[in-house]
Amino acid sequence: MNSLSIKEISSFLSTRIHFPKKSPAESPPHKNWDASARAAIVILWGLLVYPQLDKDLQQRRQKKAVTIAELQRLFFEYLGSKEQCMQILLLLKNHDYIRMDEEQTTIFAGTELYKAVDALKMYRLFRDSIISRSFYQQNQ
């Protein structure tokens, strides 16, 4: 994924509304967020949801969480400094894209993370991604 820009990564987000709608003008909260926050959703989907869809990774019993330190180490160029990354993560947490443990060191998928990404497009991207494969192999 290093060769993709933030804009390209964030293009995998879905902008469809999930029923029931509260109002006709309602749209997903991420629609108006900056590119780094939208890219974080896609990256976290790849780390937290994709392993549940990939049969090879399911067989290896991949963990269903990622530490903030791992996230920053792997995706610093997209998420910025520790402070910037934490601001993004807290925004995602407030909208239930992610959940965190009590110490706020480990990230788990929230309900909205499952709905926010075009899973078919992302599955293809991650299935072919060398970076995602190496990450999963390192973190067994």
Short mmCIF file of all heavy atoms in Angstrom, two decimals, residues 66-72 82 85-91 93-94 98-108:
data_model
loop_
_atom_site.label_atom_id
_atom_site.label_comp_id
_atom_site.label_asym_id
_atom_site.label_seq_id
_atom_site.Cartn_x
_atom_site.Cartn_y
_atom_site.Cartn_z
N VAL A 66 -4.95 -4.64 16.60
CA VAL A 66 -3.64 -4.10 16.23
C VAL A 66 -3.29 -3.06 17.29
O VAL A 66 -4.17 -2.36 17.80
CB VAL A 66 -3.65 -3.49 14.81
CG1 VAL A 66 -4.60 -2.31 14.72
CG2 VAL A 66 -2.27 -3.12 14.35
N THR A 67 -2.03 -2.99 17.64
CA THR A 67 -1.62 -1.97 18.61
C THR A 67 -1.42 -0.65 17.88
O THR A 67 -1.12 -0.62 16.68
CB THR A 67 -0.33 -2.35 19.35
OG1 THR A 67 0.76 -2.35 18.42
CG2 THR A 67 -0.46 -3.69 20.05
N ILE A 68 -1.56 0.41 18.63
CA ILE A 68 -1.35 1.74 18.06
C ILE A 68 0.10 1.88 17.62
O ILE A 68 0.39 2.46 16.57
CB ILE A 68 -1.76 2.83 19.06
CG1 ILE A 68 -3.27 2.78 19.27
CG2 ILE A 68 -1.32 4.21 18.59
CD1 ILE A 68 -3.81 3.66 20.36
N ALA A 69 1.03 1.30 18.37
CA ALA A 69 2.45 1.34 18.01
C ALA A 69 2.70 0.67 16.66
O ALA A 69 3.43 1.20 15.81
CB ALA A 69 3.29 0.69 19.10
N GLU A 70 2.07 -0.49 16.41
CA GLU A 70 2.20 -1.17 15.12
C GLU A 70 1.62 -0.32 14.00
O GLU A 70 2.22 -0.19 12.93
CB GLU A 70 1.46 -2.51 15.13
CG GLU A 70 2.08 -3.58 15.99
CD GLU A 70 1.19 -4.80 16.11
OE1 GLU A 70 -0.03 -4.66 16.32
OE2 GLU A 70 1.75 -5.91 15.98
N LEU A 71 0.46 0.24 14.24
CA LEU A 71 -0.21 1.08 13.25
C LEU A 71 0.68 2.26 12.87
O LEU A 71 0.88 2.54 11.69
CB LEU A 71 -1.55 1.57 13.79
CG LEU A 71 -2.38 2.43 12.87
CD1 LEU A 71 -2.87 1.63 11.68
CD2 LEU A 71 -3.56 3.03 13.63
N GLN A 72 1.25 2.93 13.85
CA GLN A 72 2.11 4.08 13.59
C GLN A 72 3.39 3.67 12.87
O GLN A 72 3.84 4.36 11.96
CB GLN A 72 2.46 4.80 14.88
CG GLN A 72 1.28 5.54 15.47
CD GLN A 72 1.65 6.22 16.75
OE1 GLN A 72 1.93 5.56 17.74
NE2 GLN A 72 1.67 7.53 16.71
N LYS A 82 2.49 10.90 16.33
CA LYS A 82 1.71 10.18 17.33
C LYS A 82 0.47 10.99 17.72
O LYS A 82 -0.62 10.44 17.86
CB LYS A 82 2.57 9.89 18.55
CG LYS A 82 1.87 9.06 19.60
CD LYS A 82 2.79 8.69 20.73
CE LYS A 82 2.04 7.80 21.71
NZ LYS A 82 2.91 7.28 22.76
N CYS A 85 -2.04 10.94 14.83
CA CYS A 85 -2.63 9.60 14.76
C CYS A 85 -3.67 9.41 15.86
O CYS A 85 -4.76 8.91 15.61
CB CYS A 85 -1.53 8.55 14.86
SG CYS A 85 -2.11 6.85 14.73
N MET A 86 -3.35 9.83 17.07
CA MET A 86 -4.29 9.68 18.19
C MET A 86 -5.56 10.52 17.97
O MET A 86 -6.65 10.07 18.31
CB MET A 86 -3.64 10.04 19.53
CG MET A 86 -2.74 8.95 20.07
SD MET A 86 -3.55 7.32 20.22
CE MET A 86 -4.80 7.64 21.46
N GLN A 87 -5.41 11.70 17.40
CA GLN A 87 -6.60 12.51 17.09
C GLN A 87 -7.51 11.78 16.12
O GLN A 87 -8.73 11.75 16.29
CB GLN A 87 -6.20 13.86 16.50
CG GLN A 87 -5.65 14.83 17.50
CD GLN A 87 -5.25 16.15 16.85
OE1 GLN A 87 -4.97 16.22 15.65
NE2 GLN A 87 -5.25 17.20 17.65
N ILE A 88 -6.92 11.18 15.10
CA ILE A 88 -7.69 10.42 14.12
C ILE A 88 -8.36 9.23 14.80
O ILE A 88 -9.55 8.97 14.60
CB ILE A 88 -6.80 9.95 12.95
CG1 ILE A 88 -6.35 11.16 12.12
CG2 ILE A 88 -7.53 8.93 12.08
CD1 ILE A 88 -5.25 10.84 11.11
N LEU A 89 -7.60 8.50 15.61
CA LEU A 89 -8.15 7.31 16.27
C LEU A 89 -9.28 7.66 17.23
O LEU A 89 -10.28 6.94 17.30
CB LEU A 89 -7.04 6.55 16.99
CG LEU A 89 -5.99 5.91 16.07
CD1 LEU A 89 -4.89 5.27 16.90
CD2 LEU A 89 -6.62 4.93 15.10
N LEU A 90 -9.15 8.76 17.94
CA LEU A 90 -10.23 9.17 18.84
C LEU A 90 -11.48 9.58 18.07
O LEU A 90 -12.60 9.30 18.50
CB LEU A 90 -9.75 10.29 19.77
CG LEU A 90 -8.71 9.85 20.81
CD1 LEU A 90 -8.19 11.04 21.59
CD2 LEU A 90 -9.27 8.78 21.74
N LEU A 91 -11.30 10.22 16.92
CA LEU A 91 -12.44 10.54 16.06
C LEU A 91 -13.13 9.26 15.61
O LEU A 91 -14.36 9.14 15.70
CB LEU A 91 -11.96 11.34 14.84
CG LEU A 91 -13.01 11.66 13.78
CD1 LEU A 91 -14.07 12.61 14.33
CD2 LEU A 91 -12.34 12.24 12.54
N LYS A 93 -13.00 6.35 17.04
CA LYS A 93 -13.60 5.71 18.23
C LYS A 93 -14.94 6.37 18.58
O LYS A 93 -15.91 5.67 18.89
CB LYS A 93 -12.64 5.82 19.41
CG LYS A 93 -13.16 5.17 20.67
CD LYS A 93 -12.19 5.35 21.82
CE LYS A 93 -12.82 4.83 23.09
NZ LYS A 93 -12.08 5.27 24.27
N ASN A 94 -15.00 7.68 18.52
CA ASN A 94 -16.24 8.39 18.85
C ASN A 94 -17.40 8.05 17.93
O ASN A 94 -18.55 8.22 18.29
CB ASN A 94 -16.01 9.90 18.85
CG ASN A 94 -15.19 10.35 20.03
OD1 ASN A 94 -15.10 9.67 21.06
ND2 ASN A 94 -14.52 11.49 19.90
N ILE A 98 -13.86 2.20 15.37
CA ILE A 98 -12.94 1.36 16.13
C ILE A 98 -13.33 1.39 17.60
O ILE A 98 -14.09 2.26 18.04
CB ILE A 98 -11.47 1.82 16.00
CG1 ILE A 98 -11.28 3.24 16.56
CG2 ILE A 98 -10.99 1.69 14.56
CD1 ILE A 98 -9.84 3.65 16.74
N ARG A 99 -12.78 0.43 18.32
CA ARG A 99 -12.88 0.39 19.78
C ARG A 99 -11.47 0.19 20.30
O ARG A 99 -10.61 -0.33 19.59
CB ARG A 99 -13.80 -0.74 20.21
CG ARG A 99 -15.22 -0.50 19.70
CD ARG A 99 -16.14 -1.62 19.96
NE ARG A 99 -17.44 -1.28 19.35
CZ ARG A 99 -18.40 -2.13 19.19
NH1 ARG A 99 -18.27 -3.38 19.59
NH2 ARG A 99 -19.53 -1.76 18.62
N MET A 100 -11.24 0.63 21.52
CA MET A 100 -9.91 0.50 22.12
C MET A 100 -10.01 -0.18 23.47
O MET A 100 -11.06 -0.10 24.13
CB MET A 100 -9.26 1.87 22.30
CG MET A 100 -8.93 2.58 21.03
SD MET A 100 -8.08 4.12 21.43
CE MET A 100 -8.04 4.90 19.84
N ASP A 101 -8.91 -0.78 23.88
CA ASP A 101 -8.87 -1.34 25.22
C ASP A 101 -8.78 -0.20 26.23
O ASP A 101 -8.66 0.97 25.86
CB ASP A 101 -7.70 -2.33 25.38
CG ASP A 101 -6.34 -1.70 25.18
OD1 ASP A 101 -6.24 -0.49 24.86
OD2 ASP A 101 -5.34 -2.42 25.34
N GLU A 102 -8.86 -0.53 27.50
CA GLU A 102 -8.88 0.50 28.55
C GLU A 102 -7.63 1.36 28.55
O GLU A 102 -7.69 2.55 28.85
CB GLU A 102 -9.07 -0.15 29.92
CG GLU A 102 -10.47 -0.66 30.14
CD GLU A 102 -10.66 -1.23 31.54
OE1 GLU A 102 -9.91 -0.85 32.46
OE2 GLU A 102 -11.58 -2.05 31.69
N GLU A 103 -6.49 0.78 28.20
CA GLU A 103 -5.22 1.52 28.20
C GLU A 103 -5.05 2.36 26.95
O GLU A 103 -4.10 3.11 26.82
CB GLU A 103 -4.03 0.56 28.32
CG GLU A 103 -3.98 -0.21 29.62
CD GLU A 103 -4.90 -1.44 29.62
OE1 GLU A 103 -5.19 -1.99 28.53
OE2 GLU A 103 -5.35 -1.81 30.71
N GLN A 104 -5.96 2.21 26.00
CA GLN A 104 -5.91 2.88 24.70
C GLN A 104 -4.59 2.60 23.98
O GLN A 104 -3.95 3.48 23.42
CB GLN A 104 -6.15 4.38 24.84
CG GLN A 104 -7.57 4.68 25.26
CD GLN A 104 -7.97 6.12 25.04
OE1 GLN A 104 -7.20 6.96 24.60
NE2 GLN A 104 -9.21 6.43 25.36
N THR A 105 -4.19 1.31 23.98
CA THR A 105 -3.00 0.89 23.26
C THR A 105 -3.33 -0.09 22.15
O THR A 105 -2.52 -0.29 21.26
CB THR A 105 -1.99 0.23 24.21
OG1 THR A 105 -2.60 -0.90 24.83
CG2 THR A 105 -1.50 1.21 25.27
N THR A 106 -4.51 -0.69 22.20
CA THR A 106 -4.90 -1.71 21.24
C THR A 106 -6.22 -1.34 20.59
O THR A 106 -7.13 -0.86 21.27
CB THR A 106 -5.02 -3.09 21.92
OG1 THR A 106 -3.77 -3.37 22.58
CG2 THR A 106 -5.30 -4.18 20.92
N ILE A 107 -6.30 -1.56 19.29
CA ILE A 107 -7.47 -1.17 18.50
C ILE A 107 -8.20 -2.42 18.00
O ILE A 107 -7.57 -3.37 17.52
CB ILE A 107 -7.04 -0.35 17.28
CG1 ILE A 107 -6.21 0.86 17.72
CG2 ILE A 107 -8.24 0.08 16.45
CD1 ILE A 107 -5.47 1.52 16.58
N PHE A 108 -9.52 -2.38 18.10
CA PHE A 108 -10.40 -3.45 17.61
C PHE A 108 -11.39 -2.82 16.64
O PHE A 108 -11.68 -1.64 16.71
CB PHE A 108 -11.18 -4.09 18.76
CG PHE A 108 -10.31 -4.63 19.85
CD1 PHE A 108 -9.92 -3.82 20.90
CD2 PHE A 108 -9.87 -5.94 19.82
CE1 PHE A 108 -9.10 -4.30 21.91
CE2 PHE A 108 -9.05 -6.44 20.82
CZ PHE A 108 -8.66 -5.61 21.87
#
